[in-house]
Amino acid sequence: MDHSMMGHDMTSHAGHQMGHDMTGHDECSMQMVFNWDYENLCVVFRWWRITSFPTLLVSFVLVFAMTASYEMLRDYTRNWERKVQTSLQNRTRDRAPTEDERGFVFLSQSQQIKRAVLYAGQVFVSFFLMLVFMTYNGYLIIATVLGAGFGFYMFGGDRMSAVKSMACH
């Protein structure tokens, strides 16, 4: 499919210009290549529209903060899991073990639910940030990368870990 003319004053079959809806308002700009354009750039939702440099700055800060908070959520989850694991291991030393033959410690139902909710939150935020990244907008890509670096520095940079990637999942 040729995307070279996508969103550039093409007329649709109904005689309306693409890029404008039935009321004459501008629609979201959708770039499929790396770009620095920010006019009519919708970020994930139609209502999150960047129309000017000030709205670009607000969006930059929001994406930066969201990415840093993703790292904060990951760090919170790691710390909570360590705390629960230590607590369960200390409890099993004092009474009958709740470990299987491979040394796995079993969680209570409420701990399993909290762990699943934390994991689902991480998946949601990471996929949301992937969609932001897929605007192919250089400014939002920079906000994502800088937010990840800042978040990692603030919430995970003082401990060594084999996994340091911000992946979609």
Side-chain angles (χ1 to χ4, degrees):
M1 181 189 292
D2 182 14
H3 295 286
S4 62
M5 295 298 291
M6 183 175 264
H8 297 283
D9 292 354
M10 291 174 44
T11 44
S12 69
H13 296 288
H16 297 287
Q17 284 189 328
M18 291 183 78
H20 297 280
D21 65 15
M22 300 282 264
T23 63
H25 295 99
D26 289 328
E27 288 204 16
C28 298
S29 167
M30 180 64 180
Q31 299 283 337
M32 298 302 291
V33 294
F34 184 82
N35 67 87
W36 295 98
D37 300 332
Y38 56 84
E39 286 189 25
N40 290 319
L41 172 64
C42 289
V43 184
V44 182
F45 303 105
R46 186 174 303 279
W47 53 262
W48 186 354
R49 182 185 304 232
I50 300 173
T51 57
S52 62
F53 191 73
T55 57
L56 172 65
L57 288 177
V58 168
S59 294
F60 187 97
V61 170
L62 287 173
V63 170
F64 179 94
M66 190 181 313
T67 310
S69 67
Y70 170 76
E71 293 297 329
M72 182 178 68
L73 178 60
R74 287 180 63 202
D75 186 58
Y76 174 82
T77 301
R78 282 189 299 266
N79 289 334
W80 178 79
E81 286 180 342
R82 254 186 254 128
K83 180 180 159 189
V84 168
Q85 185 175 19
T86 301
S87 172
L88 289 172
Q89 287 172 340
N90 288 340
R91 247 189 300 175
T92 58
R93 286 186 200 127
D94 299 337
R95 56 189 176 132
T98 56
E99 296 182 1
D100 69 5
E101 65 277 2
R102 295 168 297 191
F104 290 114
V105 177
F106 295 103
L107 301 176
S108 69
Q109 186 173 7
S110 64
Q111 290 169 327
Q112 289 174 335
I113 290 170
K114 181 173 181 176
R115 188 169 183 237
V117 167
L118 289 170
Y119 178 75
Q122 288 180 57
V123 169
F124 175 80
V125 175
S126 66
F127 275 110
F128 189 89
L129 290 168
M130 177 197 64
L131 292 174
V132 170
F133 208 89
M134 287 179 62
T135 63
Y136 298 100
N137 182 274
Y139 299 109
L140 297 181
I141 289 171
I142 289 170
T144 305
V145 171
L146 291 178
F150 177 79
F152 182 76
Y153 175 79
M154 293 300 294
F155 305 110
D158 63 337
R159 290 177 298 282
M160 294 299 292
S161 171
V163 179
K164 293 182 184 71
S165 68
M166 186 175 143
C168 298
H169 182 65

